[in-house]
Amino acid sequence: MRRYVLLLVAAAVPLTEASSKCKPEDYKWPSDFFYGCGTSAYQIEGAWNGGGRGTSIWDTISHNTTVVVGGDTGDVADDHYHRFEEDVDFFAEELGVETYSFSISWPRILPNGRGPVNEPGVQFYVKLLQALKKRNVTPICKLFHWDLPQALQTEYGGWTSKRVIADFDHYASIVLDRLGSMCDMWITLNEPSMICSKVLEYTLGREPKEEKLLCGHHALLAHAAAVKTFRAKGFKNKKISLINDGPFQLPLDATSAVDRNAARKAMEYSIGWFAAPIWLGDYPEVMRRELGDLLPAFTAQELNDLKGSADFLAFDAYTSQWASALLDPDSCSVTRTESPAWPSCVNSTQTRIDQRTGDTVPIGIPTQSDWNYLVPSGFRVGLRFLNDMYSPPAIVISENGMGVIGEARKDLRDALRDTARINWYQETLRELRSAIHDDNIPVVGFLAWSCLDNFEWEMGYGVRFGIAHVNYDTQKRTAKDSAFFLRSTFTRKETGLFIET
Ligand SMILES: *[C@@H]1O[C@H](CO)[C@@H](O)[C@H](O)[C@H]1NC(C)=O
Ligand SMILES: *[C@@H]1O[C@H](CO)[C@@H](O)[C@H](O)[C@H]1NC(C)=O
C-alpha cells in the first residue's frame, strides 16, 4: 500500500478566524463517526432477467437505444448479483469501509410490483446481509433507488398515480418482514426530486411539467406510509429516513439581496420540497404561496404522518449552483410551465460571463459530469442551510463523489492514479471538518459515491464514479488511490488531511 503523511491542519489551510479557535489535534472525527460507500441495485447488480427478477423502468429506458449514451445498459453492469460475496470481501479488505449503503430492487422482490414474492430475490439480499455481517460492515438498506417495476409504470403511470402509495407500502412491508431484523438503518426513497424530474422525464419521453408536483406528492405519501409501517413493526434501535438531494445554491452576487433571496428560494423548491413536509410539517411556505392550486394539499392526517417521519437527515451532497433572478421575469410563472426554470422561476447556473474579460467562468472545478463542479464553499453553506432550516438530530452525507475527466478512456494504471478525485475529497472533507467543529453541525457519517465504477444512468459507462476501478471485460475490481486516501483519512480518526508521499 502507498504511504500517506499527515498534513498538519495549520499548514494545510490558511488560518482563518474559525480554524484558529482549534489546535490541529482538536480536529478529530467524532468517535462514532462512520465512513462508507454506496451503490444502487440497477447500477451494479446486472442479472436483469435472472433469478426471477421482473423488469424495471430502467430496463425499458436503457433498452431504448436512443436514451443512454453509447446504448449502454445495466443488463450486466458490475455483475454484482453473481459476485456479491467477493465484493463484500473487497469492500471490507481493500476499501476498508465500515458502512455499506445499497438498494433493494423492487422487481427482484415483487416482479410485477405486487403479487407473488420472488423467493430467490429475497434470498439474494439475505445472503448479502449475512456476508456484510460476517465482515463487520454495517449496512444501510435503501428500499428504492429509481428502479420501479415496469408493470406499475405500464398499469397506472408509476409515481404520477396515487396508486403507487399503497403498492410501495406493501413492498416495504414485505421487505421489512423478511430483512428488517438484519439492517439497522433504512431509507425509503433515494432522491425523490430526481425521481420526479430526470427519471420521470425518461419514462414519459418528455420533460414533466405539472406531473412533477403530483409525483413528489405521491413520493412523500409513500414515504410516510412506509415509515408508519416500519414503526408499527416495533423494531428496537432501528432508524429510517428518506434521502434528500439538490444542488446547493449560492447567490450569483453575494452583495445582492435579490440574488440571496433567489438562492434561498431555489433551495426551498428543491431541498425544501421534500425536507419541509418531513421536518417542519408542510411544503415550504413560498411554494404554497406561489404555486397555489398546482401544489397538491395534504389532509390533516397526512401532515401528521409526514411530520417527524425521519430519524435523521440523509443528503446526497454533490455540487452548487449560482442563483439569480431571470433576465426576463415574464418567461416563467405558475402558468408558464414550459420555462426551464419552472417551478421555482429562479435562474440557476454553473457558469457566468466575466464582464471585463468576456471569459466564461465556472462555479468550481469541472468534472466529467456537466452538472457536477467541485464547490467546497457551497458544501459548507449547504450544510448550514440544512442545519438551520430543519434542525435534524443527525445528518448523514449519503452520497458524495465525482467522475474524473477522461477516466473512462484511461488504461488501468492511469485510472488508479485519480488525483483529481483525491483533491475533490480533500477539499470537501476540509469543509466537512469545519462544519462539524466550527459550525457544530451534527454530521455523523460520510458515504463516498461510489464503491465501484458502475452504470451512471443516462451517461452509461462513460462516467466512472468509483473509488474502485471495474474492468467491464473481466469484472476485476481494483481500489483507486482515492480509496486509500479516504481509508487513511477516516481510519486514523483524525481529520487532519493526508497526501501521498
Ligand atoms: C425512446 O426514447 C425516445 C426519447 O425519449 C422516445 O421518444 C421514444 O418514444 C422511445 N421509444 C420507445 C419504444 O419507447
Ligand atoms: C442566468 O444567469 C446567467 C449568469 O448571469 C446569464 O448568463 C443567463 O443569461 C441567465 N439566464 C436567464 C434565462 O435569465
Side-chain angles (χ1 to χ4, degrees), residues 206-420:
R206 61 174 172 80
E207 258 195 53
K209 294 298 169 190
E210 291 89 336
E211 303 101 322
K212 253 191 207 180
L213 301 175
L214 206 56
C215 169
H217 201 68
H218 299 148
L220 279 161
L221 292 173
H223 158 80
V227 171
K228 208 172 183 178
T229 296
F230 175 87
R231 289 182 177 159
K233 293 192 188 294
F235 295 124
K236 294 269 177 301
N237 301 320
K238 292 190 191 294
K239 299 201 182 318
I240 192 161
S241 188
L242 161 151
I243 294 180
N244 231 298
D245 77 303
F248 298 129
Q249 304 283 333
L250 303 171
L252 178 65
D253 173 359
T255 66
S256 153
V258 172
D259 290 3
R260 288 199 304 272
N261 282 339
R264 190 179 172 83
K265 185 171 140 179
M267 287 202 277
E268 292 273 30
Y269 268 84
S270 58
I271 299 169
W273 183 14
F274 295 99
I278 291 173
W279 295 97
L280 306 177
D282 201 351
Y283 286 120
E285 196 270 329
V286 64
M287 287 181 75
R288 275 251 167 269
R289 181 160 36 83
E290 294 185 346
L291 296 173
D293 291 344
L294 274 190
L295 192 62
F298 295 112
T299 65
Q301 178 64 50
E302 288 167 349
L303 285 177
N304 198 48
D305 291 346
L306 270 164
K307 191 166 184 195
S309 62
D311 298 318
F312 58 97
L313 192 152
F315 201 89
D316 290 355
Y318 285 91
T319 193
S320 301
Q321 297 177 339
W322 276 315
S324 59
L326 289 166
L327 294 181
D328 173 11
D330 294 334
S331 65
C332 181
S333 69
V334 174
T335 51
R336 308 280 306 260
T337 56
E338 74 283 3
S339 166
W342 189 85
S344 73
C345 298
V346 169
N347 181 7
S348 289
T349 166
Q350 291 183 305
T351 56
R352 64 179 172 80
I353 308 291
D354 185 298
Q355 295 304 337
R356 274 187 312 115
T357 61
D359 294 340
T360 302
V361 184
I363 191 169
I365 300 176
T367 69
Q368 179 69 43
S369 313
D370 59 7
W371 53 268
N372 197 22
Y373 290 82
L374 170 62
V375 189
S377 61
F379 184 77
R380 175 115 171 248
V381 167
L383 287 176
R384 280 191 195 141
F385 174 85
L386 296 176
N387 195 49
D388 292 349
M389 289 295 292
Y390 310 116
S391 311
I395 297 176
V396 174
I397 303 300
S398 37
E399 288 184 21
N400 176 272
M402 57 86 79
V404 176
I405 293 174
E407 193 175 344
R409 293 190 305 274
K410 291 182 178 174
D411 63 20
L412 176 68
R413 207 174 142 266
D414 282 352
L416 299 182
R417 304 284 98 86
D418 57 342
T419 49

Side-chain angles (χ1 to χ4, degrees), residues 78-80 83 87 90 452 468-470 475-479:
D78 293 351
D79 196 31
H80 174 72
R83 296 167 191 268
D87 279 343
F90 178 82
L452 301 171
H469 178 272
V470 174
Q475 291 294 348
K476 184 173 165 46
R477 285 81 157 116
T478 314

Side-chain angles (χ1 to χ4, degrees), residues 6 19 70 88 132 186-187 192 198 223 236 328 347 373 380:
L6 175 62
S19 65
V88 169
L132 289 164
W186 287 86
I187 297 293
K198 276 279 175 213
H223 158 80
K236 294 269 177 301
D328 173 11
N347 181 7
Y373 290 82
R380 175 115 171 248

